[in-house]
Amino acid sequence: RKEVEQDPGPFNVPEGATVAFNCTYSNSASQSFFWYRQDCRKEPKLLMSVYSSGNEDGRFTAQLNRASQYISLLIRDSKLSDSATYLCVVRGYGQNFVFGPGTRLSVLP
Amino acid sequence: DAGITQSPRHKVTETGTPVTLRCHQTENHRYMYWYRQDPGHGLRLIHYSYGVKDTDKGEVSDGYSVSRSKTEDFLLTLESATSSQTSVYFCAIRDQDSTDTQYFGPGTRLTVL
């Protein structure tokens, strides 16, 4: 089993749709959790950190369920500019940041 | 903008030649990382540094070495490049003052023929 797994995608959604991404991790001792977005041929950029209480940033909501070892990202009212690959990142012990393979999102006009 | 630059941005080289990639940061972060990204894989850690002259191996360190003689520079060396090292290489820093977040450089596309 991979340490961090994500929905395989791709997701193709119309503008204005709500889309949810799921991520599971295997290391129960994981300490920090993040969502990054990566545009084609660009570097990953932090979208948001994920806190145990859940957190929201505008149209984006992240949730963490430590008992189920599950992280989610919800995007409401999708924009064309949201088209990207979304990476789930989990930090375990020390410098062990583990990246999921990513889920590609295409928002269609 | 975390002030991270990488050089070169693109490189084509031949099997068996040595290659050095440079990562430069302007904000005095202690932790620096080298990752590679390949289709079908997430980013995979090659080496990281936790201070000047302090480095350690990551998941895919075979065939790579690193050096950090100054806080701002972290070098990745392929001693004898192989075609399996064709990849996109990203450098990152960790902002310990901001929820441990990593910030990435723009990447280096390396092709080994």
Side-chain angles (χ1 to χ4, degrees), chain B residues 36-44 84-88:
Chain B
R36 62 178 289 174
Q37 186 174 35
D38 304 290
H41 295 274
L43 275 80
R44 293 181 291 172
S84 65
Q85 293 176 311
T86 292
S87 187
V88 180

Side-chain angles (χ1 to χ4, degrees), chain A residues 6-93:
Chain A
Q6 296 186 239
D7 293 329
F11 287 10
N12 299 311
V13 303
E15 272 187 289
T18 295
V19 59
F21 299 106
N22 301 310
C23 171
T24 58
Y25 60 95
S26 61
N27 183 356
S28 60
S30 296
Q31 302 174 21
S32 308
F33 309 88
F34 309 89
W35 283 103
Y36 280 74
R37 68 169 280 166
Q38 186 174 25
D39 295 297
C40 187
R41 301 177 77 86
K42 298 286 190 181
E43 73 271 24
K45 292 187 177 179
L46 178 70
L47 182 64
M48 56 200 307
S49 301
V50 187
Y51 304 115
S52 296
S53 55
N55 45 302
E56 185 173 310
D57 183 3
R59 299 182 291 109
F60 300 84
T61 301
Q63 298 280 349
L64 168 63
N65 184 322
R66 285 187 182 269
S68 300
Q69 296 179 204
Y70 169 87
I71 308 160
S72 66
L73 175 69
L74 186 75
I75 304 176
R76 292 180 298 278
D77 189 21
S78 300
K79 311 293 184 189
L80 296 176
S81 58
D82 293 333
S83 296
T85 297
Y86 289 83
L87 307 176
C88 174
V89 183
V90 175
R91 183 188 174 200
Y93 176 76

Side-chain angles (χ1 to χ4, degrees), chain A residues 89-108:
Chain A
V89 183
V90 175
R91 183 188 174 200
Y93 176 76
Q95 302 310 309
N96 188 23
F97 288 83
V98 182
F99 287 73
T103 303
R104 187 158 56 90
L105 171 67
S106 293
V107 180
L108 309 172

Side-chain angles (χ1 to χ4, degrees), chain B residues 10-52:
Chain B
H10 301 270
K11 186 169 182 66
V12 179
T13 191
E14 294 188 349
T15 298
T17 60
V19 176
T20 295
L21 308 183
R22 179 181 183 238
C23 178
H24 179 79
Q25 57 138 335
T26 59
E27 298 186 1
N28 211 37
H29 294 288
R30 179 181 171 197
Y31 288 90
M32 299 184 75
Y33 306 80
W34 277 107
Y35 290 90
R36 62 178 289 174
Q37 186 174 35
D38 304 290
H41 295 274
L43 275 80
R44 293 181 291 172
L45 181 64
I46 305 171
H47 282 277
Y48 68 93
S49 170
Y50 48 98
V52 173

